[in-house]
Amino acid sequence: MIDLCSQEPKPLLSVEAALARIEAAFRPVAESENVFLKDALGRVLSESVYSPINIPHDRNSAMDGYAFSSQDAHHEQPFTLTLAGTSWAGRPFKGPLPPGYCIRIFTGAVLPDEADSVVMQEQVFVKGQVIHFLAKARLRQNIREIGEDIREGSLLCTAPKKLNAIDLGLLASAGIDKLVVKRPVKIAFFSTGDELTALGLPLVSGQIYDSNRYMLGGLLTDASYCVTDMGVIADNKQLLEERFIDAAKNHDVVITTGGASVGEADYVKEILERCGEVDFWKIAIKPGKPLAFGKIGDCYFFGLPGNPVAVIVTFQHLVVPALKQLSGVSAIKPWQLTATCTSLLKKAPGRQEYQRGILSQDQYGEFFVASSGKQGSNILSSMSQADCYMVLPIECQGVEVGDKVKIELIRNAEII
Ligand code: AMP
Ligand code: MG
């Protein structure tokens, strides 16, 4: 079997070569802005943050129990101490702790300077104001020292970093209220095609509903992107050209789907050539060989294929790395693992294929993968059932049941 789509006068660009071009072409947006911490989830930090305080700020207890000085304790025998008061979280014990005394203390409550030990409440018994400690009570334990988590002036978060929920927690623990982050990448996207019908209208013969725009809208949902959905544009050269120029004026990136191939009504490349620069890529990837990449002024342009699965595969593998770089973070290669294939997979040499699969793991931790169904680039149902790609290299001539294949998780946070 021969992959007819790979029979080109010029060799197709490998996925790695296309990624290297992306890495060379995209620079992070230069501008930054201030945001409140509560609005910073998913934004890209552009200035590193240092802690203005020690964390913990005070010496405090790691347990609910009784705090005392080890000098007042007996190291081998049971001993007793008299209760001097209580230290609550947020309401410290006031006053010095005299010799022979202990205090009731709760988790997070400040320790008196004299105390160096906390014994948990389950290990004492209380008779009125007298606290009985057991023999060999563990001394100098259960204390959180000042700055043991973070030292004042030390690095909390290093820029550039896409902030996650844990980062917000860490920054909040240091009292950081405002941050400097990259401004969002401005992205416009639209669908092209005479056959596209808006949802809510009945389908006339020969027409289809526009699924790509809804998918892209979802794939582009990210706090470091500011996205404009520009709707559907018919296969009309003049209209397309006007929209391209218009979108490029106030966006960093324009993404279109459809019309990027070499059919009679595929105008994207021609128009891009007229109003900008085109670097048309025929990539050794399946699905999704044709991809019009270029620039209109300072705006980057991606003309993705029309078939929905080709849109997802090219978006995840080529557009996401570019958008990440623009947003200020470097793209991380998706995790790959190896699984035993339980389906027969047809494949002709010539392109790297991303076939859709369903991953499972047996009781011994071994991974198995099965095809999720038909693999045509229009078959969205098998894409929706899949949870991984089976990545078949260019030279692969098909996979037998029992062969090992490379797997890439589709919902890997780094590629979506
Ligand atoms: P094209 O590249 O424009 O020739 O489109 C290739 C295939 O993808 C055709 O079958 C189109 O009908 C289909 N297609 C194009 N755009 C969309 C879209 N927005 N949603 C769903 N299918 C589409
Ligand atoms: Mg079309």
Side-chain angles (χ1 to χ4, degrees):
M1 191 168 63
I2 294 171
D3 178 358
L4 293 175
C5 283
S6 72
Q7 306 290 294
E8 295 279 339
K10 280 207 283 184
L12 300 179
L13 198 62
S14 70
V15 175
E16 288 71 34
L19 281 172
R21 287 199 190 187
I22 284 168
E23 213 175 305
F26 286 81
R27 294 276 164 271
V29 292
E31 302 86 359
S32 290
E33 59 194 33
N34 296 311
V35 289
F36 285 108
L37 185 74
K38 68 179 176 54
D39 302 318
L41 184 67
R43 301 297 301 273
V44 176
L45 195 64
S46 51
E47 285 179 13
S48 295
V49 182
Y50 296 83
S51 181
I53 57 167
N54 280 309
I55 305 171
H57 192 240
D58 301 288
R59 267 172 91 235
N60 70 85
S61 175
M63 291 283 173
D64 290 340
Y66 292 85
F68 52 91
S69 163
S70 55
Q71 289 182 355
D72 295 337
H74 198 294
H75 292 229
E76 300 296 328
Q77 312 265 308
F79 60 95
T80 58
L81 296 170
T82 307
L83 201 58
T86 302
S87 187
W88 306 83
R91 266 188 292 145
F93 170 74
K94 287 195 182 78
L97 183 61
Y101 281 80
C102 65
I103 57 161
R104 179 83 171 105
I105 196 160
F106 296 100
T107 306
V110 173
L111 276 159
D113 290 343
E114 300 80 2
D116 63 3
S117 303
V118 173
V119 166
M120 63 198 289
Q121 60 191 28
E122 292 82 350
Q123 290 172 352
V124 304
F125 58 95
V126 180
K127 274 194 192 152
Q129 292 299 99
V130 181
I131 312 301
H132 295 250
F133 294 84
L134 305 178
K136 296 193 174 161
R138 296 183 67 206
L139 304 177
R140 296 183 203 88
Q141 301 283 319
N142 302 323
I143 290 174
R144 299 166 174 170
E145 297 295 344
I146 290 173
E148 72 172 24
D149 183 2
I150 291 151
R151 285 242 151 252
E152 182 181 330
S154 69
L155 200 54
L156 274 179
C157 265
T158 311
K161 183 172 204 292
K162 192 172 176 69
L163 296 166
N164 60 36
I166 299 161
D167 298 323
L168 300 198
L170 182 70
L171 292 162
S173 74
I176 306 286
D177 193 23
K178 287 193 201 108
L179 299 165
V180 186
V181 295
K182 289 277 182 197
R183 71 144 169 90
V185 178
K186 290 179 264 178
I187 304 165
F189 68 104
F190 47 87
S191 296
T192 71
D194 285 343
E195 73 278 34
L196 301 179
T197 300
L199 304 187
L201 297 177
L203 268 193
V204 177
S205 172
Q207 296 207 307
I208 59 168
Y209 289 118
D210 171 16
S211 44
N212 288 346
R213 209 157 42 89
Y214 291 87
M215 250 170 12
L216 274 185
L219 289 165
L220 288 166
T221 301
D222 186 306
S224 54
Y225 307 151
C226 173
V227 175
T228 315
D229 178 348
M230 296 188 65
V232 176
I233 303 168
D235 290 316
N236 173 310
K237 284 190 200 176
Q238 198 189 329
L239 219 58
L240 283 165
E241 186 167 342
E242 278 169 21
R243 287 299 171 88
F244 282 18
I245 292 170
D246 193 35
K249 271 188 205 142
N250 38 25
H251 293 91
D252 301 302
V253 186
V254 172
I255 303 170
T256 66
T257 65
S261 194
V262 286
E264 291 292 302
D266 292 336
Y267 302 134
V268 169
K269 183 182 165 221
E270 181 189 325
I271 295 167
L272 190 57
E273 250 156 17
R274 243 199 335 268
C275 59
E277 311 149 36
V278 67
D279 188 358
F280 186 61
W281 293 351
K282 283 189 176 167
I283 300 171
I285 188 172
K286 187 177 178 183
K289 182 181 70 166
L291 193 140
F293 171 68
K295 277 189 111 175
I296 303 173
D298 287 333
C299 175
Y300 295 96
F301 185 97
F302 282 102
L304 302 186
N307 278 307
V309 183
V311 170
I312 304 175
V313 169
T314 51
F315 181 85
Q316 290 187 327
H317 293 92
L318 299 161
V319 183
V320 167
L323 298 181
K324 291 240 172 201
Q325 253 183 259
L326 268 175
S327 71
V329 286
S330 44
I332 296 171
K333 264 191 103 180
W335 289 104
Q336 287 191 334
L337 51 102
T338 303
T340 304
C341 193
T342 60
S343 309
L344 185 79
L345 307 180
K346 286 193 190 155
K347 154 97 170 61
R351 290 189 279 168
Q352 175 151 303
E353 280 194 30
Y354 291 85
Q355 296 205 11
R356 292 140 253 172
I358 298 171
L359 193 63
S360 58
Q361 202 174 15
D362 71 7
Q363 55 182 330
Y364 308 106
E366 188 87 13
F367 287 110
F368 292 87
V369 65
S371 165
S372 69
K374 290 192 182 126
Q375 296 291 326
S377 60
N378 59 324
I379 309 285
L380 209 41
S381 57
S382 64
M383 182 81 229
S384 135
Q385 278 144 28
D387 55 17
C388 67
Y389 291 117
M390 300 175 281
V391 186
L392 310 183
I394 292 182
E395 63 287 352
C396 169
Q397 300 192 24
V399 171
E400 303 285 341
V401 171
D403 284 355
K404 298 278 186 201
V405 288
K406 252 192 325 183
I407 295 300
E408 197 179 283
L409 300 177
I410 288 177
R411 281 166 246 295
N412 182 329
E414 288 308 325
I415 62 170
I416 289 201

